[in-house]
Amino acid sequence: MLDKSGNDSSSYNMDDIKFIKEKSPVVGQFIEDEYERQKNNVELIASENYCSDAVLAACGCCLTWKYAEGYPYDRKSGNTGRYYGGTENVDKLEEYCCNKWREVFNTDYHVNVQPHSGSQANLAAYRALINHGDTILAMSLNNGGHLSHGSSVNFSGKLYNVVFYDVDENGYIDMEDVRKKAKSYRPNLILAGASAYSRIIDFEAFAKIAKEVGAYFMVDMAHIAGLIAAGAHPSPFGLADIVTTTTHKTLRGPRGGLIFGKPEFAHKIDSAVFPYAQGGPLEHIIAAKAISAEEDCTEEYRKYIMQVVLNSKAFCDEFLKLGYKVVTGGTDNHLFLLDLSDFPFSGNDLQIRLDQEGITVNKNAVPGDKRPPSEASGIRLGTAAMTTRGYDEDDFRAVAGRIDKVIKEMTAEYEENE
Ligand code: DSN
Protein backbone atom coordinates (compact mmCIF):
# COMPACT_ATOMS: atom_id res chain seq x y z
CA MET A 1 0.00 0.00 0.00
CA LEU A 2 1.26 3.50 -0.84
CA ASP A 3 1.70 6.06 1.94
CA LYS A 4 1.26 9.81 1.58
CA SER A 5 4.86 10.33 0.41
CA GLY A 6 4.52 7.67 -2.28
CA ASN A 7 6.44 4.95 -0.40
CA ASP A 8 5.11 1.45 -1.01
CA SER A 9 5.05 -0.81 2.04
CA SER A 10 4.73 -3.96 -0.07
CA SER A 11 7.12 -5.41 -2.61
CA TYR A 12 4.15 -6.70 -4.60
CA ASN A 13 3.89 -3.88 -7.12
CA MET A 14 7.58 -3.56 -7.90
CA ASP A 15 8.22 -7.31 -8.18
CA ASP A 16 5.20 -7.64 -10.42
CA ILE A 17 6.26 -4.78 -12.69
CA LYS A 18 9.86 -6.07 -12.82
CA PHE A 19 8.56 -9.46 -13.96
CA ILE A 20 6.31 -7.92 -16.64
CA LYS A 21 9.19 -5.76 -17.87
CA GLU A 22 11.33 -8.85 -18.35
CA LYS A 23 8.60 -10.44 -20.50
CA SER A 24 7.36 -7.31 -22.26
CA PRO A 25 9.63 -4.29 -21.89
CA VAL A 26 7.18 -2.07 -23.79
CA VAL A 27 4.05 -2.84 -21.74
CA GLY A 28 6.09 -3.13 -18.54
CA GLN A 29 7.41 0.39 -19.10
CA PHE A 30 3.89 1.79 -19.59
CA ILE A 31 2.85 0.17 -16.31
CA GLU A 32 5.92 1.38 -14.44
CA ASP A 33 5.43 4.93 -15.68
CA GLU A 34 1.81 4.86 -14.53
CA TYR A 35 2.83 3.39 -11.16
CA GLU A 36 5.31 6.25 -10.71
CA ARG A 37 2.64 8.81 -11.68
CA GLN A 38 0.21 7.34 -9.18
CA LYS A 39 2.87 7.26 -6.45
CA ASN A 40 4.04 10.82 -6.95
CA ASN A 41 0.78 12.63 -7.73
CA VAL A 42 -1.90 13.85 -5.39
CA GLU A 43 -4.90 11.85 -6.65
CA LEU A 44 -8.14 13.78 -6.18
CA ILE A 45 -10.42 12.09 -8.73
CA ALA A 46 -13.48 11.32 -6.62
CA SER A 47 -14.17 7.96 -8.29
CA GLU A 48 -10.65 6.60 -7.85
CA ASN A 49 -9.03 4.78 -4.95
CA TYR A 50 -6.13 2.48 -4.10
CA CYS A 51 -7.15 -1.10 -3.38
CA SER A 52 -5.20 -3.43 -1.09
CA ASP A 53 -2.35 -5.64 -2.30
CA ALA A 54 -4.53 -8.71 -1.72
CA VAL A 55 -7.26 -7.28 -3.99
CA LEU A 56 -4.64 -6.39 -6.59
CA ALA A 57 -3.09 -9.87 -6.43
CA ALA A 58 -6.48 -11.57 -6.87
CA CYS A 59 -7.06 -9.49 -10.04
CA GLY A 60 -4.02 -11.15 -11.58
CA CYS A 61 -4.55 -14.72 -10.33
CA CYS A 62 -5.29 -18.05 -12.09
CA LEU A 63 -9.05 -17.51 -11.94
CA THR A 64 -8.66 -15.37 -15.06
CA TRP A 65 -8.20 -18.69 -16.91
CA LYS A 66 -11.67 -19.99 -16.03
CA TYR A 67 -14.91 -19.77 -18.01
CA ALA A 68 -18.06 -20.04 -15.89
CA GLU A 69 -21.06 -18.68 -17.81
CA GLY A 70 -24.17 -19.07 -15.70
CA TYR A 71 -24.54 -19.06 -11.94
CA PRO A 72 -23.41 -21.32 -9.09
CA TYR A 73 -27.06 -22.17 -8.43
CA ASP A 74 -29.97 -23.30 -10.57
CA ARG A 75 -33.24 -22.36 -8.95
CA LYS A 76 -35.14 -25.30 -10.39
CA SER A 77 -32.71 -28.18 -9.85
CA GLY A 78 -30.70 -26.78 -6.95
CA ASN A 79 -27.52 -27.87 -8.78
CA THR A 80 -24.86 -25.75 -10.42
CA GLY A 81 -26.28 -23.50 -13.11
CA ARG A 82 -23.07 -23.17 -15.13
CA TYR A 83 -22.62 -23.99 -18.78
CA TYR A 84 -19.07 -25.32 -18.20
CA GLY A 85 -17.52 -28.12 -16.20
CA GLY A 86 -14.84 -27.64 -13.56
CA THR A 87 -16.66 -24.85 -11.76
CA GLU A 88 -16.73 -26.36 -8.26
CA ASN A 89 -14.23 -23.86 -6.87
CA VAL A 90 -15.58 -20.74 -8.55
CA ASP A 91 -19.11 -21.79 -7.55
CA LYS A 92 -18.09 -21.70 -3.89
CA LEU A 93 -16.20 -18.46 -4.41
CA GLU A 94 -19.14 -16.70 -6.05
CA GLU A 95 -21.60 -17.80 -3.34
CA TYR A 96 -19.14 -16.62 -0.68
CA CYS A 97 -18.72 -13.28 -2.47
CA CYS A 98 -22.52 -12.74 -2.60
CA ASN A 99 -22.85 -13.52 1.12
CA LYS A 100 -20.01 -11.16 2.03
CA TRP A 101 -21.59 -8.27 0.13
CA ARG A 102 -24.91 -8.86 1.88
CA GLU A 103 -22.95 -8.62 5.14
CA VAL A 104 -21.29 -5.35 4.09
CA PHE A 105 -24.69 -3.70 3.60
CA ASN A 106 -26.50 -5.69 6.28
CA THR A 107 -29.19 -6.72 3.82
CA ASP A 108 -31.13 -9.78 2.73
CA TYR A 109 -31.43 -8.48 -0.86
CA HIS A 110 -30.46 -10.80 -3.69
CA VAL A 111 -27.00 -9.88 -5.02
CA ASN A 112 -25.37 -10.49 -8.38
CA VAL A 113 -21.59 -9.99 -8.30
CA GLN A 114 -20.95 -10.54 -12.03
CA PRO A 115 -21.38 -7.05 -13.61
CA HIS A 116 -18.10 -5.96 -15.17
CA SER A 117 -18.80 -2.29 -14.43
CA GLY A 118 -21.31 0.16 -13.03
CA SER A 119 -22.69 0.96 -16.50
CA GLN A 120 -23.24 -2.74 -17.19
CA ALA A 121 -24.91 -3.13 -13.81
CA ASN A 122 -27.25 -0.28 -14.75
CA LEU A 123 -27.93 -1.79 -18.20
CA ALA A 124 -28.99 -5.03 -16.50
CA ALA A 125 -30.95 -3.25 -13.76
CA TYR A 126 -33.10 -1.35 -16.29
CA ARG A 127 -33.64 -4.58 -18.22
CA ALA A 128 -34.78 -6.35 -15.04
CA LEU A 129 -37.38 -3.70 -14.20
CA ILE A 130 -38.67 -2.02 -17.38
CA ASN A 131 -39.07 -2.33 -21.16
CA HIS A 132 -37.40 -0.41 -23.96
CA GLY A 133 -39.25 2.86 -24.58
CA ASP A 134 -40.42 3.10 -20.95
CA THR A 135 -39.86 6.32 -19.03
CA ILE A 136 -37.09 6.87 -16.48
CA LEU A 137 -36.93 9.93 -14.22
CA ALA A 138 -33.29 10.62 -13.30
CA MET A 139 -30.67 13.28 -12.62
CA SER A 140 -28.93 14.67 -15.70
CA LEU A 141 -25.20 14.41 -16.28
CA ASN A 142 -24.97 18.24 -16.29
CA ASN A 143 -26.44 18.41 -12.80
CA GLY A 144 -24.25 15.65 -11.36
CA GLY A 145 -25.91 12.46 -12.63
CA HIS A 146 -24.14 9.72 -14.57
CA LEU A 147 -23.71 8.95 -18.27
CA SER A 148 -25.75 5.74 -17.87
CA HIS A 149 -28.63 7.63 -16.23
CA GLY A 150 -30.13 8.67 -19.57
CA SER A 151 -27.51 10.74 -21.37
CA SER A 152 -28.50 11.02 -25.05
CA VAL A 153 -25.14 9.62 -26.20
CA ASN A 154 -25.42 6.53 -23.97
CA PHE A 155 -27.48 3.31 -24.37
CA SER A 156 -29.72 4.54 -21.55
CA GLY A 157 -30.75 7.66 -23.46
CA LYS A 158 -31.24 5.71 -26.67
CA LEU A 159 -33.25 2.76 -25.32
CA TYR A 160 -35.43 4.64 -22.84
CA ASN A 161 -37.45 7.81 -22.69
CA VAL A 162 -35.61 9.78 -20.03
CA VAL A 163 -36.89 12.82 -18.17
CA PHE A 164 -34.56 14.71 -15.84
CA TYR A 165 -35.34 16.29 -12.49
CA ASP A 166 -33.59 19.53 -11.62
CA VAL A 167 -31.45 20.90 -8.86
CA ASP A 168 -32.49 24.13 -7.11
CA GLU A 169 -30.63 27.44 -7.32
CA ASN A 170 -28.15 26.22 -4.67
CA GLY A 171 -27.40 22.95 -6.47
CA TYR A 172 -29.45 20.69 -4.15
CA ILE A 173 -31.73 18.02 -5.67
CA ASP A 174 -35.12 19.71 -5.97
CA MET A 175 -37.49 17.14 -4.42
CA GLU A 176 -40.50 19.28 -5.37
CA ASP A 177 -39.40 19.04 -9.00
CA VAL A 178 -38.97 15.27 -8.62
CA ARG A 179 -42.55 15.00 -7.33
CA LYS A 180 -43.95 17.38 -9.98
CA LYS A 181 -42.24 15.53 -12.85
CA ALA A 182 -43.14 12.12 -11.42
CA LYS A 183 -46.79 13.16 -11.37
CA SER A 184 -46.83 14.65 -14.83
CA TYR A 185 -44.63 12.11 -16.71
CA ARG A 186 -45.69 8.98 -14.73
CA PRO A 187 -42.25 7.30 -15.11
CA ASN A 188 -41.92 3.52 -14.93
CA LEU A 189 -38.69 3.95 -12.97
CA ILE A 190 -37.32 6.67 -10.71
CA LEU A 191 -33.56 6.67 -10.32
CA ALA A 192 -31.59 8.28 -7.50
CA GLY A 193 -27.81 8.45 -7.53
CA ALA A 194 -25.08 10.71 -8.85
CA SER A 195 -21.45 10.98 -9.77
CA ALA A 196 -20.93 14.61 -8.80
CA TYR A 197 -23.30 15.47 -5.96
CA SER A 198 -21.92 16.44 -2.58
CA ARG A 199 -25.03 16.22 -0.40
CA ILE A 200 -27.01 13.48 1.35
CA ILE A 201 -29.56 11.94 -1.02
CA ASP A 202 -32.96 11.54 0.62
CA PHE A 203 -33.80 7.96 -0.44
CA GLU A 204 -36.90 7.92 1.74
CA ALA A 205 -38.38 10.93 -0.05
CA PHE A 206 -37.59 9.35 -3.45
CA ALA A 207 -39.16 6.03 -2.41
CA LYS A 208 -42.30 7.82 -1.25
CA ILE A 209 -42.69 9.61 -4.58
CA ALA A 210 -42.06 6.37 -6.51
CA LYS A 211 -44.79 4.70 -4.47
CA GLU A 212 -47.19 7.60 -5.06
CA VAL A 213 -46.89 7.26 -8.85
CA GLY A 214 -46.48 3.46 -9.01
CA ALA A 215 -42.91 3.59 -10.35
CA TYR A 216 -40.05 1.25 -9.56
CA PHE A 217 -37.35 2.87 -7.44
CA MET A 218 -33.70 2.26 -8.26
CA VAL A 219 -30.59 3.64 -6.57
CA ASP A 220 -27.14 3.84 -8.18
CA MET A 221 -25.00 4.25 -5.07
CA ALA A 222 -21.65 3.84 -6.87
CA HIS A 223 -20.00 6.93 -5.41
CA ILE A 224 -21.34 6.76 -1.87
CA ALA A 225 -21.46 2.97 -1.41
CA GLY A 226 -18.54 3.02 1.03
CA LEU A 227 -20.24 5.72 3.08
CA ILE A 228 -23.44 3.67 3.17
CA ALA A 229 -21.50 0.55 4.21
CA ALA A 230 -19.85 2.45 7.06
CA GLY A 231 -23.02 4.25 8.20
CA ALA A 232 -21.90 7.69 7.00
CA HIS A 233 -24.86 8.04 4.60
CA PRO A 234 -28.45 6.73 4.91
CA SER A 235 -28.97 3.34 3.29
CA PRO A 236 -31.25 2.68 0.30
CA PHE A 237 -31.76 -0.96 1.32
CA GLY A 238 -35.36 -1.67 2.23
CA LEU A 239 -36.47 1.34 0.12
CA ALA A 240 -35.17 0.69 -3.41
CA ASP A 241 -36.28 -2.19 -5.63
CA ILE A 242 -32.79 -2.43 -7.09
CA VAL A 243 -29.48 -0.95 -5.93
CA THR A 244 -26.43 -0.88 -8.21
CA THR A 245 -22.85 0.06 -7.43
CA THR A 246 -19.29 -0.13 -8.61
CA THR A 247 -16.73 -1.72 -6.31
CA HIS A 248 -13.66 0.43 -6.99
CA LYS A 249 -14.62 3.85 -5.65
CA THR A 250 -15.22 4.40 -1.93
CA LEU A 251 -15.60 0.59 -1.51
CA ARG A 252 -11.88 0.31 -2.39
CA GLY A 253 -12.21 -2.95 -4.32
CA PRO A 254 -11.33 -4.00 -7.88
CA ARG A 255 -12.91 -2.30 -10.90
CA GLY A 256 -16.36 -3.84 -11.30
CA GLY A 257 -20.06 -3.69 -10.49
CA LEU A 258 -22.70 -5.26 -8.25
CA ILE A 259 -26.50 -5.40 -8.39
CA PHE A 260 -28.69 -5.85 -5.32
CA GLY A 261 -32.43 -6.39 -5.59
CA LYS A 262 -35.45 -7.24 -3.52
CA PRO A 263 -35.78 -11.05 -3.53
CA GLU A 264 -38.73 -10.96 -5.98
CA PHE A 265 -36.41 -9.52 -8.66
CA ALA A 266 -33.66 -12.13 -8.22
CA HIS A 267 -34.39 -14.13 -11.34
CA LYS A 268 -34.93 -11.05 -13.53
CA ILE A 269 -31.67 -9.51 -12.31
CA ASP A 270 -29.68 -12.68 -12.96
CA SER A 271 -30.98 -13.19 -16.47
CA ALA A 272 -30.47 -9.49 -17.25
CA VAL A 273 -26.78 -9.84 -16.37
CA PHE A 274 -26.27 -13.24 -18.05
CA PRO A 275 -27.23 -13.96 -20.81
CA TYR A 276 -28.65 -10.52 -21.68
CA ALA A 277 -25.79 -8.11 -20.91
CA GLN A 278 -22.73 -10.29 -20.44
CA GLY A 279 -21.17 -13.64 -21.18
CA GLY A 280 -18.63 -15.24 -18.86
CA PRO A 281 -18.10 -13.67 -15.43
CA LEU A 282 -14.62 -12.51 -14.46
CA GLU A 283 -13.96 -14.91 -11.60
CA HIS A 284 -10.59 -13.30 -10.74
CA ILE A 285 -12.41 -10.01 -10.24
CA ILE A 286 -15.11 -11.80 -8.23
CA ALA A 287 -12.33 -13.12 -5.95
CA ALA A 288 -11.03 -9.56 -5.59
CA LYS A 289 -14.58 -8.33 -4.90
CA ALA A 290 -14.91 -10.94 -2.14
CA ILE A 291 -11.64 -9.81 -0.52
CA SER A 292 -12.68 -6.16 -0.60
CA ALA A 293 -16.06 -7.11 0.92
CA GLU A 294 -14.15 -8.78 3.78
CA GLU A 295 -12.08 -5.61 4.20
CA ASP A 296 -15.20 -3.40 4.13
CA CYS A 297 -16.68 -5.29 7.10
CA THR A 298 -13.82 -4.24 9.40
CA GLU A 299 -13.65 -1.48 12.00
CA GLU A 300 -10.52 -0.20 10.27
CA TYR A 301 -12.54 0.41 7.09
CA ARG A 302 -15.30 2.19 9.03
CA LYS A 303 -12.68 4.52 10.52
CA TYR A 304 -11.20 5.08 7.06
CA ILE A 305 -14.59 6.21 5.68
CA MET A 306 -15.17 8.54 8.65
CA GLN A 307 -11.77 10.12 7.89
CA VAL A 308 -12.69 10.43 4.17
CA VAL A 309 -15.73 12.50 5.18
CA LEU A 310 -13.81 14.62 7.74
CA ASN A 311 -11.11 15.27 5.14
CA SER A 312 -13.68 16.26 2.52
CA LYS A 313 -15.26 18.79 4.89
CA ALA A 314 -11.88 20.24 5.87
CA PHE A 315 -10.76 20.45 2.22
CA CYS A 316 -14.02 22.10 1.14
CA ASP A 317 -14.08 24.53 4.10
CA GLU A 318 -10.57 25.66 3.21
CA PHE A 319 -11.70 26.61 -0.31
CA LEU A 320 -14.71 28.44 1.11
CA LYS A 321 -12.41 30.31 3.51
CA LEU A 322 -10.23 31.27 0.54
CA GLY A 323 -13.32 32.79 -1.11
CA TYR A 324 -14.17 30.12 -3.69
CA LYS A 325 -17.66 29.09 -4.79
CA VAL A 326 -18.55 25.44 -4.12
CA VAL A 327 -21.71 23.89 -5.62
CA THR A 328 -24.31 23.62 -2.78
CA GLY A 329 -21.92 25.59 -0.56
CA GLY A 330 -20.37 22.52 1.06
CA THR A 331 -20.22 18.74 1.28
CA ASP A 332 -21.68 15.85 3.27
CA ASN A 333 -19.70 13.14 1.53
CA HIS A 334 -16.36 12.34 -0.11
CA LEU A 335 -16.47 14.99 -2.86
CA PHE A 336 -17.43 18.50 -3.87
CA LEU A 337 -17.42 20.70 -6.98
CA LEU A 338 -15.36 23.86 -7.18
CA ASP A 339 -17.31 26.33 -9.31
CA LEU A 340 -15.10 28.32 -11.71
CA SER A 341 -17.94 29.99 -13.63
CA ASP A 342 -16.63 33.45 -12.70
CA PHE A 343 -13.06 32.69 -13.77
CA PRO A 344 -11.61 33.47 -17.20
CA PHE A 345 -10.44 29.85 -17.64
CA SER A 346 -12.34 26.57 -17.67
CA GLY A 347 -12.26 23.43 -15.54
CA ASN A 348 -10.36 21.80 -18.37
CA ASP A 349 -7.67 24.52 -18.33
CA LEU A 350 -7.25 24.07 -14.59
CA GLN A 351 -7.19 20.26 -14.86
CA ILE A 352 -4.33 20.50 -17.40
CA ARG A 353 -2.37 22.98 -15.28
CA LEU A 354 -2.84 20.92 -12.10
CA ASP A 355 -1.60 17.83 -13.96
CA GLN A 356 1.64 19.72 -14.57
CA GLU A 357 1.80 20.42 -10.83
CA GLY A 358 1.33 16.75 -9.91
CA ILE A 359 -2.28 17.15 -8.78
CA THR A 360 -4.83 14.95 -10.57
CA VAL A 361 -8.43 16.16 -10.84
CA ASN A 362 -11.21 16.02 -13.41
CA LYS A 363 -13.09 18.84 -15.05
CA ASN A 364 -16.80 18.69 -14.32
CA ALA A 365 -19.89 20.56 -15.42
CA VAL A 366 -21.59 22.64 -12.75
CA PRO A 367 -25.39 23.17 -12.68
CA GLY A 368 -26.39 25.70 -15.36
CA ASP A 369 -22.95 25.48 -16.97
CA LYS A 370 -22.47 27.81 -19.94
CA ARG A 371 -19.33 26.01 -21.14
CA PRO A 372 -19.51 22.75 -23.15
CA PRO A 373 -18.79 19.47 -21.25
CA SER A 374 -15.36 19.23 -22.90
CA GLU A 375 -14.41 22.52 -21.19
CA ALA A 376 -16.75 22.64 -18.15
CA SER A 377 -16.83 25.32 -15.47
CA GLY A 378 -15.88 23.20 -12.51
CA ILE A 379 -13.46 20.66 -11.13
CA ARG A 380 -14.55 17.72 -8.99
CA LEU A 381 -12.44 17.05 -5.91
CA GLY A 382 -12.59 13.83 -3.88
CA THR A 383 -10.79 12.59 -0.79
CA ALA A 384 -11.15 8.77 -0.96
CA ALA A 385 -7.82 7.96 -2.63
CA MET A 386 -5.51 10.23 -0.65
CA THR A 387 -7.20 9.24 2.62
CA THR A 388 -6.22 5.65 1.81
CA ARG A 389 -2.67 6.97 1.57
CA GLY A 390 -2.91 8.50 5.05
CA TYR A 391 -3.85 12.12 4.35
CA ASP A 392 -5.55 13.95 7.21
CA GLU A 393 -7.36 17.30 7.41
CA ASP A 394 -4.11 19.33 7.52
CA ASP A 395 -2.78 17.56 4.43
CA PHE A 396 -5.95 18.44 2.51
CA ARG A 397 -5.85 22.06 3.70
CA ALA A 398 -2.31 22.22 2.35
CA VAL A 399 -3.48 20.82 -1.02
CA ALA A 400 -6.22 23.48 -1.12
CA GLY A 401 -3.45 26.04 -0.65
CA ARG A 402 -1.49 24.55 -3.57
CA ILE A 403 -4.55 24.61 -5.85
CA ASP A 404 -5.35 28.18 -4.77
CA LYS A 405 -1.80 29.24 -5.70
CA VAL A 406 -2.16 27.69 -9.16
CA ILE A 407 -5.55 29.37 -9.69
CA LYS A 408 -4.12 32.76 -8.66
CA GLU A 409 -1.18 32.33 -11.04
CA MET A 410 -3.52 31.40 -13.90
CA THR A 411 -5.81 34.34 -13.15
CA ALA A 412 -2.83 36.72 -13.19
CA GLU A 413 -1.64 35.26 -16.52
CA TYR A 414 -5.08 35.72 -18.08
CA GLU A 415 -5.32 39.30 -16.82
CA GLU A 416 -1.84 40.08 -18.20
CA ASN A 417 -2.82 38.74 -21.62
CA GLU A 418 -6.01 40.80 -21.85
N1 DSN B 1 -17.07 7.92 -14.46
C1 DSN B 1 -17.21 7.67 -13.05
C2 DSN B 1 -16.89 8.88 -12.26
O1 DSN B 1 -15.81 9.41 -12.44
O2 DSN B 1 -17.67 9.31 -11.43
C3 DSN B 1 -18.50 7.12 -12.70
O3 DSN B 1 -18.68 5.91 -13.35
Side-chain angles (χ1 to χ4, degrees):
M1 189 70 81
L2 292 175
D3 70 12
K4 61 171 114 173
S5 315
N7 300 313
D8 197 341
S9 56
S10 101
S11 62
Y12 175 76
N13 292 304
M14 272 330 289
D15 286 352
D16 206 40
I17 292 168
K18 206 167 137 221
F19 178 76
I20 296 171
K21 274 182 90 176
E22 276 165 23
K23 304 292 167 192
S24 171
V26 176
V27 175
Q29 193 59 53
F30 291 144
I31 296 173
E32 186 174 332
D33 291 348
E34 173 59 10
Y35 179 54
E36 289 303 317
R37 189 195 66 78
Q38 292 193 16
K39 274 171 60 171
N40 297 326
N41 280 24
V42 177
E43 297 289 342
L44 300 175
I45 293 181
S47 46
E48 292 185 4
N49 211 332
Y50 297 88
C51 62
S52 70
D53 292 331
V55 168
L56 208 52
C59 291
C61 77
C62 67
L63 298 179
T64 196
W65 301 334
K66 186 71 196 110
Y67 246 116
E69 278 176 15
Y71 291 98
Y73 40 81
D74 176 75
R75 282 194 181 76
K76 284 193 196 119
S77 68
N79 298 325
T80 179
R82 306 284 194 182
Y83 289 81
Y84 293 80
T87 61
E88 60 271 27
N89 299 311
V90 295
D91 283 354
K92 282 188 236 160
L93 166 70
E94 208 170 311
E95 295 262 32
Y96 176 76
C97 186
C98 292
N99 288 332
K100 270 321 238 198
W101 280 110
R102 271 189 284 268
E103 196 181 322
V104 171
F105 293 104
N106 191 23
T107 179
D108 60 358
Y109 275 32
H110 173 70
V111 56
N112 186 306
V113 296
Q114 293 189 2
H116 301 331
S117 71
S119 287
Q120 275 173 281
N122 287 344
L123 171 72
Y126 301 147
R127 169 75 175 186
L129 293 176
I130 58 176
N131 297 310
H132 290 172
D134 280 357
T135 300
I136 299 176
L137 179 59
M139 191 176 194
S140 72
L141 191 56
N142 286 355
N143 282 340
H146 186 254
L147 189 69
S148 64
H149 295 182
S151 165
S152 60
V153 293
N154 182 258
F155 77 86
S156 51
K158 297 196 185 299
L159 297 180
Y160 302 99
N161 171 40
V162 186
V163 180
F164 295 112
Y165 47 82
D166 280 326
V167 291
D168 65 19
E169 64 281 8
N170 298 315
Y172 281 78
I173 293 172
D174 183 347
M175 292 311 297
E176 264 321 300
D177 192 57
V178 177
R179 173 168 282 108
K180 203 177 78 201
K181 288 190 173 138
K183 288 200 163 152
S184 69
Y185 291 97
R186 309 305 289 190
N188 306 86
L189 175 70
I190 297 181
L191 173 55
S195 60
Y197 186 68
S198 63
R199 295 302 188 174
I200 299 284
I201 300 178
D202 189 346
F203 295 134
E204 263 189 62
F206 270 102
K208 205 165 154 238
I209 295 170
K211 203 165 168 204
E212 273 169 41
V213 299
Y216 289 117
F217 177 40
M218 171 177 157
V219 171
D220 177 348
M221 63 172 182
H223 263 270
I224 52 172
L227 280 69
I228 291 167
H233 188 289
S235 172
F237 290 94
L239 297 168
D241 295 299
I242 287 191
V243 180
T244 59
T245 186
T246 49
T247 42
H248 48 274
K249 298 185 175 87
T250 47
L251 288 173
R252 219 160 54 171
R255 298 195 80 86
L258 304 172
I259 305 181
F260 297 85
K262 287 186 173 164
E264 59 266 38
F265 300 112
H267 178 64
K268 283 189 166 171
I269 289 170
D270 285 353
S271 55
V273 174
F274 170 82
Y276 175 75
Q278 296 182 178
L282 308 177
E283 293 295 343
H284 52 306
I285 300 299
I286 288 174
K289 284 174 180 169
I291 296 168
S292 56
E294 289 175 345
E295 293 170 354
D296 294 352
C297 289
T298 61
E299 179 57 19
E300 192 191 338
Y301 177 75
R302 200 190 64 78
K303 283 190 185 144
Y304 155 71
I305 288 292
M306 297 306 157
Q307 192 60 48
V308 166
V309 177
L310 288 175
N311 285 346
S312 184
K313 282 193 199 309
F315 196 20
C316 183
D317 284 350
E318 192 64 12
F319 279 108
L320 292 170
K321 235 167 69 188
L322 289 163
Y324 288 92
K325 261 179 27 191
V326 168
V327 176
T328 77
T331 180
D332 300 324
N333 60 25
H334 62 301
L335 65 78
F336 57 94
L337 288 175
L338 206 59
D339 185 343
L340 304 166
S341 302
D342 300 336
F343 285 80
F345 47 85
S346 68
N348 188 48
D349 295 326
L350 181 58
Q351 175 191 311
I352 292 168
R353 184 66 163 262
L354 288 174
D355 254 336
Q356 291 159 3
E357 301 290 328
I359 298 176
T360 315
V361 304
N362 69 279
K363 59 179 170 275
N364 212 104
V366 294
D369 210 322
K370 304 236 171 0
R371 294 184 171 106
S374 55
E375 284 297 315
S377 294
I379 57 166
R380 187 181 61 164
L381 298 169
T383 54
M386 292 313 290
T387 305
T388 294
R389 285 175 55 179
Y391 265 38
D392 62 16
E393 290 97 318
D394 284 341
D395 294 312
F396 276 102
R397 284 186 201 107
V399 177
R402 283 179 65 190
I403 295 175
D404 173 51
K405 187 165 167 277
V406 171
I407 292 176
K408 289 203 164 96
E409 283 166 9
M410 286 176 74
T411 308
E413 284 163 21
Y414 271 80
E415 279 167 4
E416 243 171 60
N417 291 335
E418 279 218 335

